[in-house]
Amino acid sequence: MPGFRIEEPFSLVRFQHSINRNDSKNCIIGLDCSDLSANEEQDVMDQVAITVQGEGLKLYNTTDQKCIKSWTTPPGISFVRPAIYCDGGRDFNAYDYTYAIIASGTDINKTEQGKVVWVWKSRKNSDNDDHDKIVKTFAEPINAIYTSPVLHSNVVIVHDSGSIGLTTKDLDRITANQKPLKDSMIVWSTLFVTSSGNTRHSFIPSSMVPPSSTVVTTVCNMPKSDIYSIKFNYVNIERRSIDLIASVDLKLAVDPIAFTLDSVAGRLTMLDSSGNWKVYRIQLKHSSSKKINCTLVEDLSIQLDGYNFYDTQLGAVASITSLSDGYVAMIAPRKPSVKNGNVYEHVISVWDMKYGTLQAEQTINMDKNLFNKESCICNIVALPNSHLAITVSSVEASRSQEKGGKKLMEVHSSVMLCPYYSEPVSLLAAIGKMKATVDFIGINDNITSPKTIGYSRSGQESCPPIEYSSKLNYATWNKKLSSNQSLETDLLSKLMNKDIKESEFIKDFFDYLQVSWTPIDMSMTSDIEGKTMVYDKVVKSDHKQNNTSVVLSEFFIFNVVSLCFQKIESTVWGMDIILYLLSKSLVRSKYTEKGIISSLLDKNEWALIPIVLERVQDIPESELVILMKSLIRLYTEDREEWSGRYDSYMKMIITTPRNDIFLQQSLKRITASELPVLLNTLINWYNNRLIDLSIQSTVVDFINAILDIHFTTLILEPGLHNIVSELRALAASQIEETDDLEQLKDILGAYNRKCKHNLAKKILAKEKKAEAQDNPGDELTKFRKKNKGKFGGEQGIPIYRVEVFRF
């Protein structure tokens, strides 16, 4: 299904360093990645530059997690933002540039703070120590430096006032510069390149700026003002100027801490210090005065509670970054609560900007002694190789002090990488994530709570069948809908009561449906096979409903099934209800938090698994592999007990409907110790003729899938070579049998044709007999019956016909 999948993060590098307390709001540890559009070499895609305050700059390869280059800086140096690494390309004589904006330092005057840029210039064929550092001082404080893939000889500089400049790569000559803006401070900026004619479109069309143009977006603010000015500037390299495309003002009640911009769809997202996340859609239009008007339309506004976003001493402690296909990744510390064990958690969440739903969530496992603190700063950056680079820094006051009485802060930082996979989100994928979205943003998930309307429920879930008649009008129809919704909500509130007993729970459910139900008697059997027979008999029996006007909504079934599996019991709570819903094929795997197979395995309810595999239609392939692994484990641990049922369960798993592509991905979880058990089972089936012809092709497809995935394991593991030899002999024998059967094709061909001919004659005779019994008397009816109601001729001209009247 389209959507987002995020894997568990792994560590890249850790740092321990000290910083000046006055520099706590500067860049403590920052990340920068080489742009894919600038250089499409694989080694450049796998690089990330790390800026560490008090140590320097380091360039890491994310594939082997090794440091490629490093630049050392004095301990007292602090940076305005992460350093920028610009790769020179494939030419060995080309220069690589590294830019770092110095915020403060022991050798930096107060009048030059934020105005000094250190540039390291080096060739690719030179040693790592052979770096030429260039120091440049500008007239205005600098906020950011950007490189563009279409500007091969220049870099873009954004000043603190919001003005933009264009200089050469070595910062020797200023090509273009805007006038400084008075009483204006930059809040956020970014750079992107508009699309060319052969790629995906941009929200800025080619009628406003030429294709493949560099556009710089800035967000500026006046001191003590709640108005934020958003400007789109075009870097005109031909005229050597920075031209304003359009601007728009945005009024915000709370100070923002982070922005993202989707240059394809034209969506601007904003996260403020209170945890409110908003999505705006940018619209650009030509006006009559040859100017471009810009408007912002607010699409989404979500309040995220229970997380830290801003600290008065450290500044912003949360971060967001834009991903492809309309996603936004966010990292923020989660406040301690009973749910998370009263500890701080650092949570990565991925949201889609189109529907505003939580598509993925991942909690980072951190050292609780170091990172279980309120003073933690998180940062996140998207790398071109489908990885998220994450930093988590724990900041606390140091016991030691520098000379001169400067207060120090000790920082423990961890840099991690998190792989992800994404596809454009669909409406169904967004709807399926509504429950997770409600849990994440902290909305009270009470059945009667109006806050859940629009997230986990619509407010009108019940939709009973309506008998259409002449007396039916909108008022009566709406009244009946409201009445049924009220009855269902009242019953669901009663069933969701924590103190309700199981017998009362089952009775209220069947009384509402008006179904006569006999409780299940399990006193006569205790083994798995006996329970399965009892469950199967109950599911296949006829359950008559006295009142057919009562129809269960999907929301009602979801909550009831979830409650039955959430109860901490040794077996499924409310088994009678689950069996009734299975008999009507109303149970879905997504109704349980872990998936229905995992939930049954947690309760050791193996007797219900055969019925679930038959009646539940949306069991994912990952759940089937989990069931397969559990079955193999039980079979190897207690072969005597499970030898009788192992083959039957394995056949049910293999023959369950599935998607072969997703199955191959899930089969990667089969380990080298489980693989011989599985392959020996399949070989035994073929040797002992235990496979029916009806499932022959399904089993062959499964064998092909597991051999494709574990091909290297079969070669590298010496203990599996005997199994490979048996599989080769088995394949040879199957091919030989197929060749023998192929030779019978000509011998039995005449008999097959004769059978088909006799069958066709019987069908034709049956049709003639039916036609004779219902033969119309007049010619017009015969014509209509023969042409099946089609009277039109060619090109709309009716077919002329004659009707004979007999008097």
Side-chain angles (χ1 to χ4, degrees), residues 304-310 317-319 330-351 358 360-366 371-378 392 435-442 593:
L304 304 174
D305 297 326
Y307 298 85
N308 287 338
F309 295 98
Y310 186 80
V317 297
S319 176
M330 180 188 305
I331 182 170
R334 181 184 286 165
K335 297 178 181 179
S337 64
V338 179
K339 187 176 180 180
N340 58 11
N342 293 319
V343 295
Y344 278 95
E345 291 181 340
H346 306 280
V347 183
I348 306 170
S349 58
V350 179
W351 300 77
L358 176 69
E361 179 183 359
Q362 181 69 51
T363 302
I364 307 175
N365 296 323
M366 306 292 295
F371 298 96
N372 185 20
K373 301 172 183 178
E374 185 178 0
S375 57
C376 282
I377 303 175
C378 302
V392 180
K435 183 68 168 57
T437 305
V438 170
D439 295 338
F440 189 90
I441 62 181
E593 184 177 358

Side-chain angles (χ1 to χ4, degrees), residues 161-162 181 183-189 216-222 225-233 244 246-252 256 259 268 294 296:
S161 63
L181 303 176
D183 298 330
S184 177
M185 290 297 295
I186 189 74
V187 178
W188 175 81
S189 62
V216 181
T217 305
T218 59
V219 179
C220 299
N221 173 245
M222 302 285 287
S225 173
D226 58 353
I227 303 297
Y228 292 80
S229 178
I230 304 172
K231 297 181 180 180
F232 301 96
N233 301 275
L244 178 65
S247 64
V248 63
D249 291 337
L250 178 64
K251 186 176 182 180
L252 299 175
F259 289 87
L268 179 74
C294 179
L296 291 180

Side-chain angles (χ1 to χ4, degrees), residues 161-347:
S161 63
S163 61
I164 302 172
L166 184 67
T167 66
T168 56
K169 279 193 172 182
D170 52 8
L171 306 183
D172 283 341
R173 183 168 56 91
I174 298 177
T175 306
N177 199 9
Q178 286 183 332
K179 292 183 179 180
L181 303 176
K182 295 183 179 180
D183 298 330
S184 177
M185 290 297 295
I186 189 74
V187 178
W188 175 81
S189 62
T190 187
L191 179 145
F192 67 93
V193 177
T194 61
S195 62
S196 62
N198 301 325
T199 59
R200 296 179 62 185
H201 70 279
S202 172
F203 77 97
I204 300 181
S206 58
S207 60
M208 297 180 182
V209 294
S212 300
S213 298
T214 301
V215 177
V216 181
T217 305
T218 59
V219 179
C220 299
N221 173 245
M222 302 285 287
K224 298 181 181 181
S225 173
D226 58 353
I227 303 297
Y228 292 80
S229 178
I230 304 172
K231 297 181 180 180
F232 301 96
N233 301 275
Y234 161 51
V235 180
N236 195 333
I237 193 65
E238 295 179 355
R239 295 185 178 182
R240 296 183 178 182
S241 63
I242 311 295
D243 302 331
L244 178 65
I245 302 174
S247 64
V248 63
D249 291 337
L250 178 64
K251 186 176 182 180
L252 299 175
V254 184
D255 293 337
I257 61 173
F259 289 87
T260 66
L261 176 64
D262 185 356
S263 61
V264 176
R267 287 189 174 95
L268 179 74
T269 70
M270 183 276 302
L271 179 67
D272 62 27
S273 57
S274 65
N276 188 263
W277 181 60
K278 294 183 178 181
V279 179
Y280 299 93
R281 189 171 70 253
I282 305 171
Q283 295 179 348
L284 299 175
K285 293 183 179 179
H286 287 281
S287 64
S288 57
S289 58
K290 295 184 180 180
K291 292 184 179 181
I292 299 175
N293 294 331
C294 179
T295 55
L296 291 180
V297 179
E298 183 178 330
D299 284 347
L300 292 171
S301 179
I302 298 177
Q303 181 65 39
L304 304 174
D305 297 326
Y307 298 85
N308 287 338
F309 295 98
Y310 186 80
D311 185 83
T312 54
Q313 182 179 356
L314 302 176
V317 297
S319 176
I320 57 177
T321 185
S322 180
L323 305 178
S324 59
D325 298 324
Y327 293 101
V328 169
M330 180 188 305
I331 182 170
R334 181 184 286 165
K335 297 178 181 179
S337 64
V338 179
K339 187 176 180 180
N340 58 11
N342 293 319
V343 295
Y344 278 95
E345 291 181 340
H346 306 280
V347 183

Side-chain angles (χ1 to χ4, degrees), residues 773-784:
Q773 291 177 354
D774 191 22
N775 192 15
D778 59 284
E779 297 293 333
L780 181 59
T781 307
K782 286 182 181 181
F783 181 84
R784 289 176 176 175

